[in-house]
Amino acid sequence: RLQESRERLSVCSKLCYAVGGAPYQITGCALGFFLQIYLLDVAQLDPFYASIILFVGRAWDAITDPMVGFFISKTSWTRFGRLMPWIIFSTPFAVISYFLIWFVPDISTGQVMWYLIFYCIFQTLVTCFHVPYSALTMFISREQSERDSATAYRMTVEVLGTVLGTAIQGQIVGNVVTPCIESSLVIGQINSSVALEELNMTHDTGSLKDTRNAYMIAAGVIGGLYILCAVILSVGVREKRESSGLQSDEPVSFFRGLKLVMNHSAYIKLIAGFLFTSLAFMLLEGNFALFCTYTLGFRNEFQNILLAIMLSATLTIPFWQWFLTRFGKKTAVYVGISSAVPFLIVVAVLDSNLIITYIVAVAAGISVAAAFLLPWSMLPDVIDDFKLQHPDSHGHEAIFFSFYVFFTKFTSGVSLGISTLSLDFAGYQTRGCSQPSEVNFTLKMLVSAVPVGLILLGLLLFKLYPIDEEKRRKNKKALQDLR
C-alpha cells in the first residue's frame, strides 16, 4: 500500500501529461481537413501535384514512426530523462516547419518541392514529439490503474484537440471570402468562356491574399498552442526511470527488440483487432463530409454534425474509463465499438432526416471515444505481459508504441486509397453540386456497410486477445513480486 501511494499520480501531473497529447491532434486535424483545399485553391497547385504531396506526406509519416522508435531505443538516459529531450528539442523546429507549410512562396517554380519538403519535415518532427510522448505512459508510474487514469485524461484532451484544431482553422479561415468553386451545372449554363473567366477572376483576385494571410494567422495560433503544450508537459511531468524497470544505461539492440516484440502473441492480436476497427472509423471519418453533403443533402450542416461527433466523444471518454475499470477492457471493446453498428445501418437505410443524422452523430461519437481510449489503455498491459516473458530484455517501450502508430497510419493511407478509387470508379464529379446515383450508393457503402463489416471482423479477432482482467491482475502481482 505504501508503494502504491508513492506511485499515485496527482491530478495536476495527469493534466500536464494529458496536455502533451494536444499538439499532435490539433495540427493533424487542421492538416487533415484543410491542407488539400489549401494546396488547390490557395497555393493553386495542379491537382496531380497536390495528390503527390498528400500521398508522399502520409507515406513518409508512417515510415518515420519505426525510424524514430529505432533512434529512441539507442538513446541513453540523461538528467532530463530518456524521452523528454526528444520532445523538448523537436518542438521549435516542428512549429517553424508547420508555419512554412501554410506559406505561399513567391516563386514561379519549385512550389511543389517547397510543400513536399516542409510537409515531410514537419511529419518527421511531430513524430519525434509523439512517439516518445506515447511511450512516456510507461515511465510516469508503475501502477496500471494510474497509467489507465492518465491515459483517460490524455484521450479527453486529444479529442478536445481535434475540436480545437477544426475550430481555430475553420473560424479564422472562414472569416475571409474564399474562392468559389462553381458546380458543373452552373458552368454548363455559361455559354461564353470569357464570362466564365471573369466570374472566376471576380471570386479569386479580391480574396486570395486575405485567404493566404488567414491561413498563416491560423498556423501562428496553432504553433503557439503547440509550444505552450510542450512547455506544460516538460515542466509538469517527471520521467521516472524506476517506473520502466531498466537496470542499465546501455542501448538495447533495436532489431533484436523488434523481433521479440513482433513475436509477442498478445501484441500481434491487439494490433490485428484494432487494425480493422481503426480502418472502419477512418473510412467513416474520411467520407463523412461527402456523405452529408451529397447523399444526405446537408451541405450547410456538416460542421455542426462534425462538432456533435467530437463533443459526444469528448464527453463520453470519462464514462468509458469508468466502464473499463468496472467491467474490464475486453468487455469495453465489445460494447463500445459495436455500439456504432446499428446506427450506421439506420443512417444508410432510412431516408435523409436531419434529426436522425444528429442522433447517429452522437452515437458515433460514443464509439469514437471508445476507439480513441482503448488501444492506448491496453498497450501498457501488453508491455507488462512482455516484460514478464522477457525479464532480461529492457527498453522496448518505444518499439511497441511506434509500430502501433505505424500500423494505424498505414490503415489511414489504405482508407484514403480505397475511398478515392471507389469514388473515381463510380464517376465522382469534382465540381458538381450533386452526384450521380452510383456515387451516392458508393458513399453509403463507405460509411455504412464496409465499416460495419470491418468492425465485426475486428471484434472477432479480439476474441483471440489473451489478456483479460484475471490475466491482467496476475501480471500485476507477478511484476510487483519481480521488482
Side-chain angles (χ1 to χ4, degrees):
R1 289 180 181 176
L2 179 61
Q3 181 65 31
E4 288 183 2
S5 66
R6 289 175 179 173
E7 291 290 335
R8 199 170 297 277
L9 296 172
S10 66
V11 174
C12 181
S13 295
K14 293 177 184 177
L15 286 173
C16 290
Y17 167 75
V19 165
Y24 181 78
Q25 298 299 333
I26 294 174
T27 56
C29 193
L31 288 168
F33 281 112
F34 294 96
L35 183 59
Q36 185 177 31
I37 194 171
Y38 167 82
L39 293 175
L40 294 173
D41 295 341
V42 181
Q44 297 183 324
L45 296 182
D46 185 271
F48 174 75
Y49 294 117
S51 65
I52 290 177
I53 292 170
L54 294 170
F55 175 76
V56 173
R58 284 175 178 252
W60 179 253
D61 189 22
I63 294 172
T64 55
D65 288 286
M67 287 173 55
V68 172
F70 168 77
F71 288 115
I72 290 176
S73 70
K74 309 294 285 186
T75 303
S76 300
W77 279 85
T78 68
R79 65 189 187 94
F80 297 105
R82 188 182 188 185
L83 304 172
M84 200 63 76
W86 284 83
I87 295 172
I88 295 172
F89 291 115
S90 66
T91 294
F93 301 104
V95 170
I96 293 171
S97 59
Y98 179 79
F99 180 82
L100 292 176
I101 292 174
W102 303 103
F103 175 75
V104 180
D106 188 16
I107 51 178
S108 56
T109 58
Q111 277 193 344
V112 174
M113 291 304 299
W114 172 282
Y115 291 112
L116 186 61
I117 289 171
F118 284 111
Y119 189 32
C120 290
I121 289 175
F122 173 74
Q123 296 291 13
T124 303
L125 291 168
V126 80
T127 300
C128 291
F129 183 103
H130 192 250
V131 169
Y133 170 74
S134 301
L136 191 62
T137 310
M138 299 301 298
F139 294 85
I140 56 177
S141 176
R142 285 187 295 191
E143 283 298 314
Q144 291 177 344
S145 59
E146 291 301 298
R147 296 197 303 244
D148 290 344
S149 178
T151 300
Y153 277 79
R154 169 192 166 187
M155 292 301 109
T156 304
V157 172
E158 288 197 356
V159 175
L160 281 172
T162 62
V163 178
L164 194 60
T166 307
I168 292 173
Q169 193 86 2
Q171 292 300 315
I172 295 177
V173 174
N175 283 330
V176 298
V177 179
T178 54
C180 179
I181 301 176
E182 298 291 340
S183 68
S184 58
L185 179 62
V186 174
I187 292 174
Q189 292 174 347
I190 300 177
N191 297 322
S192 171
S193 60
V194 177
L196 177 58
E197 184 178 352
E198 290 178 355
L199 176 66
N200 289 335
M201 288 180 63
T202 301
H203 284 288
D204 288 346
T205 55
S207 61
L208 191 57
K209 183 177 180 181
D210 293 337
T211 303
R212 291 176 176 178
N213 291 335
Y215 273 99
M216 287 190 289
I217 292 171
V221 173
I222 290 176
L225 286 175
Y226 193 119
I227 294 174
L228 178 63
C229 292
V231 170
I232 293 174
L233 173 66
S234 60
V235 172
V237 176
R238 185 170 68 89
E239 186 179 347
K240 300 176 182 178
R241 180 178 181 182
E242 63 273 13
S243 297
S244 68
L246 289 175
Q247 302 297 324
S248 172
D249 277 335
E250 296 180 5
V252 297
S253 170
F254 175 81
F255 294 104
R256 180 176 175 273
L258 179 61
K259 183 179 179 180
L260 289 173
V261 167
M262 289 304 168
N263 286 330
H264 190 59
S265 174
Y267 182 61
I268 296 301
K269 291 171 182 175
L270 181 71
I271 283 182
F274 277 117
L275 197 67
F276 288 99
T277 56
S278 297
L279 180 57
F281 284 102
M282 287 176 182
L283 275 174
L284 179 62
E285 178 188 28
N287 296 281
F288 190 73
L290 295 173
F291 180 72
C292 286
T293 301
Y294 297 112
T295 306
L296 298 181
F298 301 140
R299 181 181 296 272
N300 297 326
E301 290 288 335
F302 162 64
Q303 290 183 346
N304 296 329
I305 296 171
L306 179 63
L307 185 62
I309 294 176
M310 303 315 299
L311 288 176
S312 172
T314 304
L315 294 174
T316 51
I317 280 181
F319 165 77
W320 287 119
Q321 173 62 21
W322 168 83
F323 189 94
L324 67 86
T325 304
R326 178 69 176 81
F327 299 101
K329 297 179 182 180
K330 286 190 71 171
T331 304
V333 168
Y334 295 129
V335 175
I337 295 179
S338 64
S339 64
V341 171
F343 295 97
L344 292 177
I345 296 174
V346 165
V347 77
V349 173
L350 296 183
D351 294 332
S352 175
N353 186 296
L354 186 59
I355 296 176
I356 292 178
T357 303
Y358 272 106
I359 294 173
V360 171
V362 173
I366 295 173
S367 287
V368 167
F372 246 80
L373 173 65
L374 289 166
W376 300 109
S377 180
M378 297 169 79
L379 268 174
D381 299 337
V382 172
I383 297 174
D384 286 341
D385 186 69
F386 177 84
K387 287 180 178 179
L388 285 175
Q389 295 185 25
H390 306 278
D392 297 325
S393 185
H394 307 291
H396 304 308
E397 292 83 0
I399 299 176
F400 279 97
F401 284 94
S402 63
F403 271 88
Y404 173 73
V405 175
F406 168 79
F407 287 120
T408 303
K409 291 177 180 178
F410 173 76
T411 59
S412 175
V414 169
S415 67
L416 181 66
I418 291 175
S419 302
T420 305
L421 289 176
S422 300
L423 292 173
D424 184 54
F425 181 76
Y428 179 78
Q429 302 294 323
T430 304
R431 295 180 179 269
C433 285
S434 61
Q435 296 294 337
S437 58
E438 293 83 1
V439 173
N440 290 328
F441 176 78
T442 303
L443 285 170
K444 281 188 177 183
M445 293 295 102
L446 291 173
V447 301
S448 179
V450 178
V452 167
L454 291 170
I455 286 173
L456 295 177
L457 181 58
L459 293 179
L460 285 175
L461 290 172
F462 272 115
K463 295 287 290 183
L464 304 174
Y465 179 66
I467 304 178
D468 53 15
E469 286 306 295
E470 182 180 358
K471 174 76 170 176
R472 197 163 70 93
R473 284 193 292 268
K474 288 181 179 178
N475 284 352
K476 178 181 177 180
K477 186 178 186 305
L479 276 176
Q480 289 175 343
D481 295 341
L482 187 63
R483 287 173 179 137

